[in-house]
Amino acid sequence: MEKIMYSLWKSPDQSINDFNEALLGPMSEALLASGAKKIRISLVDEQVAPAIKLRHENLDPMINAVVSIWVDSYIYRDKQQVILADFADQFHGYLVTESEPIVNSQHPEEEGVRTVGMNQLAFLQKPERLSRQEWLDIWHNSHTQVAVDTQSTFGYRQNVVVMAVTDSALPFDAIVEENFPVEAMSSPHAFYDAFDNDGKPDDAKLAEHGKIMAKSCARFIDFENINVLPTSEYCIKL
């Protein structure tokens, strides 16, 4: 089974609420009928409005949603892409390999139900200064543990792009999915898991975790190319 991730944009004259309702309703139904084995949808809605300061945009317009579809073979993706074309103004698709350093066992997904907290998506491009092997080595074999140690994530998925499966797709090399508790949307202390032994906000730990994370990210990310999008996550089919 293979995973394909599609970034979707709504039409300029469509409201975000109408777009979201279409994705979670008729589009999901059509994808299920098309034979998709599993579907996860991450979209921007009012429930992630408190996370507005966490957005990092180098795209205009910014992506509005990501639809992940698991299929027997990406070769036969045309029927799913015809459906996506009916509901999105434009979309870009990527065949990915998924690694899951943190499995979400704290707030397990339920079909058709919004996952607790937010799913922060990061769209990465490999810096030219690094070879692909160097980039993956830093990210997977070094940075992963830094991210786990300095943040409050309860779910963490690393999707390395194997290849684009739509014409003119943006040159993303990976898409990261991180599940954070609801408090992390508006509290830096909650985001960086910066509390003392009594559960009180710890400013020193916040500064330390933020510095460590920023330094580690700078090793394999060019911040002028990264895009970060806080979303609500829905598992349509497990």
Side-chain angles (χ1 to χ4, degrees):
M1 192 158 57
E2 296 183 301
K3 180 181 181 181
I4 310 175
M5 300 185 76
Y6 292 97
S7 53
L8 277 63
W9 286 259
K10 69 179 187 66
S11 62
D13 59 348
Q14 185 180 28
S15 74
I16 192 67
N17 287 338
D18 287 347
F19 179 68
N20 291 343
E21 288 179 3
L23 298 193
L24 296 175
M27 188 199 71
S28 294
E29 293 171 4
L31 288 173
L32 287 172
S34 76
K37 304 298 182 181
K38 179 179 177 180
I39 303 170
R40 180 186 295 121
I41 298 177
S42 296
L43 48 78
V44 179
D45 61 12
E46 62 182 13
Q47 295 196 68
V48 293
I52 185 68
K53 292 183 179 179
L54 298 175
R55 289 173 66 108
H56 194 102
E57 301 180 34
N58 285 302
L59 292 176
D60 186 19
M62 185 56 169
I63 296 164
N64 297 117
V66 169
V67 177
S68 296
I69 304 172
W70 282 256
V71 293
D72 287 327
S73 172
Y74 84 96
I75 295 172
Y76 307 112
R77 66 190 179 279
D78 285 356
K79 52 189 174 182
Q80 283 84 34
Q81 293 187 176
V82 167
I83 294 168
L84 295 175
D86 287 338
F87 291 92
D89 186 56
Q90 62 170 312
F91 64 91
H92 298 171
Y94 307 88
L95 177 66
V96 302
T97 60
E98 181 189 60
S99 176
E100 200 164 9
I102 301 177
V103 176
N104 178 10
S105 58
Q106 185 175 347
H107 301 289
E109 294 176 317
E110 297 180 50
E111 288 190 356
V113 177
R114 184 185 184 279
T115 304
V116 170
M118 70 166 174
N119 181 23
Q120 179 175 274
L121 302 175
F123 304 85
L124 308 183
Q125 291 178 251
K126 179 187 72 65
E128 292 186 2
R129 68 181 183 275
L130 298 174
S131 69
R132 182 174 173 83
Q133 187 55 48
E134 289 171 332
W135 177 70
L136 287 171
D137 183 58
I138 294 170
W139 178 22
H140 287 176
N141 298 323
S142 177
H143 174 78
T144 295
Q145 192 59 49
V146 173
V148 171
D149 291 342
T150 60
Q151 298 180 128
S152 60
T153 44
F154 60 84
Y156 185 16
R157 297 179 292 274
Q158 300 171 329
N159 302 284
V160 176
V161 173
V162 176
M163 66 180 197
V165 296
T166 55
D167 295 333
S168 304
L170 292 168
F172 297 142
D173 293 298
I175 303 173
V176 180
E177 302 173 89
E178 294 177 294
N179 294 108
F180 283 88
V182 63
E183 295 83 4
M185 286 194 274
S186 56
S187 166
H189 289 89
F191 187 95
Y192 284 108
D193 195 21
F195 299 96
D196 61 22
N197 293 333
D198 296 323
K200 296 180 180 179
D202 187 326
D203 291 340
K205 185 177 286 187
L206 172 62
E208 179 187 12
H209 284 190
K211 181 178 179 180
I212 291 172
M213 187 64 176
K215 183 177 180 180
S216 183
C217 286
R219 295 181 297 157
F220 72 106
I221 295 173
D222 286 341
F223 294 110
E224 64 270 20
N225 290 325
I226 191 174
N227 289 275
V228 179
L229 187 66
T231 68
S232 288
E233 175 187 285
Y234 292 85
C235 179
I236 304 302
K237 184 177 181 181
L238 288 170

